[in-house]
C-alpha cells in the first residue's frame, strides 16, 4: 500500500521542487518568512506525502495553510481569534475558492458521515484519485506560502 525506496524518494524530490517553485511560471516571493509552527507542520507534510499517506497529506495541507495565515496575522500585529473557523480564515485572507475546496475535502476526511466519505477500500481502489488530491493540496500549500501560480485542477 505504501511503496518505499525509490517511490518515496521521488515523491520527496517532487515535494521539494513544488515548494521551490520549479516548473511554475512565476513565484511571487521566495523570501517569505515561514514561522516555526508552519515549518514544523511542513516537515510532517513532506513526511506523510513521501510515505504515500494521501489522506493525511490533505489533512496536514490545510493545517499548514491555516498555521501560516495565523502566524502572518500575529507577526503583523493583528488580533486573530484562535478559534476562527478555517473557512472564514481563508476567506478573510482572500484565498481562491480552490483553498475552500481543499478545506472541505479535509473536513470530509475528518468528520464521520452516513454514508461514509472515507473507507478502507478507498486506499486500494481509489488510490490514484487520492494521490491526485494530495498532489493538488501540495501545490496549494506552495501557492499559499510562497505565492505564484495556482493549479487549475488535480493532477491525473
Amino acid at each position: 500500500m505504501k511503496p518505499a525506496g525509490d517511490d518515496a524518494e521521488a515523491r520527496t524530490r517532487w515535494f521539494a521542487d513544488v515548494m521551490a517553485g520549479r516548473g511554475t511560471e512565476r513565484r511571487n516571493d521566495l523570501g517569505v518568512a515561514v514561522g516555526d509552527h508552519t515549518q514544523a507542520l511542513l516537515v510532517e507534510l513532506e513526511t506523510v506525502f513521501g510515505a504515500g499517506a494521501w489522506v493525511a497529506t490533505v489533512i496536514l495541507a490545510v493545517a499548514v495553510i491555516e498555521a501560516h495565515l495565523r502566524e502572518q496575522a500575529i507577526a503583523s500585529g493583528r488580533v486573530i481569534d484562535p478559534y476562527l473557523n478555517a473557512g472564514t480564515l481563508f476567506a478573510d485572507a482572500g484565498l481562491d475558492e480552490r483553498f475552500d475546496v481543499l478545506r472541505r475535502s479535509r473536513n470530509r476526511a475528518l468528520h464521520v458521515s452516513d454514508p461514509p466519505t472515507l473507507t478502507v477500500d478507498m486506499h486500494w481502489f481509489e488510490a490514484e484519485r487520492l494521490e491526485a488530491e494530495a498532489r493538488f493540496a501540495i501545490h496549494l500549500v506552495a501557492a499559499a506560502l510562497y505565492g505564484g501560480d495556482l493549479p487549475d485542477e488535480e493532477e491525473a
Side-chain angles (χ1 to χ4, degrees):
M1 183 155 46
K2 294 179 186 164
D6 292 342
D7 288 341
E9 290 173 22
R11 285 192 295 269
T12 299
R13 279 192 305 276
W14 181 89
F15 182 96
D17 287 346
V18 170
M19 289 301 137
R22 292 184 201 101
T24 61
E25 295 278 324
R26 64 181 174 83
R27 183 68 101 211
N28 288 340
D29 188 358
L30 292 175
V32 169
V34 176
D36 288 340
H37 195 97
T38 301
Q39 287 179 18
L41 289 173
L42 272 172
V43 170
E44 286 296 308
L45 181 61
E46 181 178 10
T47 301
V48 298
F49 179 77
W54 311 130
V55 174
T57 296
V58 169
I59 292 167
L60 276 171
V62 174
V64 168
I65 296 166
E66 185 176 353
H68 182 64
L69 293 175
R70 291 180 189 281
E71 284 178 328
Q72 283 186 319
I74 291 167
S76 69
R78 292 192 326 261
V79 175
I80 188 162
D81 178 357
Y83 301 105
L84 182 65
N85 175 283
T88 305
L89 183 67
F90 286 14
D92 289 351
L95 294 181
D96 182 278
E97 69 182 31
R98 287 167 278 197
F99 290 93
D100 199 54
V101 169
L102 177 65
R103 183 189 63 80
R104 289 192 315 266
S105 180
R106 183 267 327 248
N107 287 350
R108 283 190 302 276
L110 286 176
H111 303 294
V112 176
S113 64
D114 187 21
T117 56
L118 183 64
T119 65
V120 172
D121 287 348
M122 292 173 127
H123 293 288
W124 298 107
F125 301 112
E126 298 181 40
E128 288 179 6
R129 180 187 63 78
L130 293 173
E131 180 177 359
E133 190 172 280
R135 288 179 180 272
F136 183 71
I138 299 300
H139 279 292
L140 290 176
V141 167
L145 270 57
Y146 307 114
D149 298 325
L150 286 173
D152 289 328
E153 57 189 36
E154 295 174 7
E155 293 184 5

